[in-house]
Amino acid sequence: MRPSGRNLSQMRPISIETGVMAHAEGSCLIRVGNTHVLCTASLEETPPRFLKGTGLGWVTAEYGMLPRATNTRNRREAAAGKQSGRTQEIQRLIGRSLRAGVDRSALGERQITIDCDVIQADGGTRCASITGGWVALRLAVNKLLKAGAITSDPIMDHVAAVSCGIYAGQAVLDLDYAEDSEAGTDGNFVLTGAGRLIEVQMSAEGATFSRDQMGQLLDLAEGGMAELVAAQKAAVA
């Protein structure tokens, strides 16, 4: 039995509320169970310096947690004067994942920055950030299309992410914190709406895993993706 009482292949409740920030070109608040992340997309009409003259656009991301997103207060990274290695790794993952679903030639020489701020954490914050970040990106690109700033849609497919793991010897979908902290194997799966893999992060957290178990986790992730993409479609409809 999972601590939450969910079935092995059952996602937490998903909701995505759009238009939550008045000034951002795209924004949403994504809730995956008790994990809540505010995602915004900010458009700049100039690309990063290394892309000037190439005709290519760029999508990047920043990630952070509010001090009381968890059960104890975390010190603000700004107060420490630098970002943690975990923060840097997660925001690079978000940026890589979202760029994989974008035709950068169609975007043109401009940059869209996705900011993901974790308001409340209960496992899977990077996955919720990618899923919600795509919605914010989609809304920002819609504004470019409506304004005639670009002529073809640069977003090639949905991008979303979900965690899976081996908990109490069984493969489970969408780990919350209680499961994540005890999982023998933990994995994050980033996929497109068509089921193409963008990135897989898997590690043994105290017990090794077999190739068959890895396949079980991927099967679960593909099932969870259907729900995530459905939530994205409903949010941007």
Side-chain angles (χ1 to χ4, degrees):
M1 177 66 70
R2 304 178 70 174
S4 63
R6 287 181 286 147
N7 296 329
L8 301 180
S9 59
Q10 185 178 354
M11 293 281 296
R12 290 174 287 178
I14 306 161
S15 70
I16 305 176
E17 178 186 357
T18 60
V20 294
M21 299 291 284
H23 304 297
E25 281 74 25
S27 67
C28 75
L29 175 61
I30 181 169
R31 298 180 176 92
V32 183
N34 287 323
T35 289
H36 304 166
V37 185
L38 176 65
C39 303
T40 60
S42 300
L43 173 67
E44 297 175 66
E45 286 295 343
T46 55
R49 187 178 303 174
F50 67 89
L51 286 177
K52 285 188 176 179
T54 65
L56 299 175
W58 192 246
V59 176
T60 189
E62 294 188 12
Y63 168 95
M65 273 196 181
L66 294 185
R68 279 315 303 264
T70 57
N71 57 3
T72 57
R73 185 184 186 276
N74 293 315
R75 188 183 183 198
R76 294 183 190 271
E77 292 186 339
K82 64 178 181 178
Q83 290 181 314
S84 69
R86 176 182 181 275
T87 294
Q88 293 180 54
E89 184 263 324
I90 290 175
Q91 63 191 25
R92 287 170 183 160
L93 169 66
I94 298 167
R96 284 196 307 272
S97 299
L98 296 177
R99 282 196 299 274
V102 172
D103 179 346
R104 292 166 52 209
S105 295
L107 182 59
E109 287 194 22
R110 51 178 56 84
Q111 175 169 278
I112 299 177
T113 301
I114 308 299
D115 286 292
C116 302
D117 293 289
V118 179
I119 298 171
Q120 184 169 284
D122 186 32
T125 61
R126 71 186 67 195
C127 294
S129 295
I130 291 167
T131 304
W134 183 90
V135 171
L137 176 63
R138 172 76 272 177
L139 295 171
V141 168
N142 285 351
K143 288 192 175 183
L144 286 172
L145 288 164
K146 186 175 181 180
I150 53 178
T151 56
S152 61
D153 189 354
I155 295 183
M156 301 180 291
D157 200 352
H158 288 256
V159 173
V162 68
S163 64
C164 301
I166 306 296
Y167 174 78
Q170 294 181 301
V172 298
L173 174 66
D174 188 22
L175 301 172
D176 57 27
Y177 179 75
E179 295 167 331
D180 188 33
S181 61
E182 298 291 334
T185 298
D186 181 19
N188 299 299
F189 296 81
V190 187
L191 295 94
T192 68
R196 302 282 294 179
L197 288 166
I198 294 175
E199 188 154 342
V200 176
Q201 299 179 327
M202 288 194 67
S203 60
E205 300 285 351
T208 59
F209 57 94
S210 67
R211 185 168 179 171
D212 285 344
Q213 286 176 316
M214 184 174 180
Q216 292 173 27
L217 297 181
L218 179 56
D219 289 342
L220 286 173
E222 289 175 340
M225 275 295 298
E227 291 188 49
L228 293 169
V229 169
Q232 288 177 329
K233 288 181 177 178
V236 301

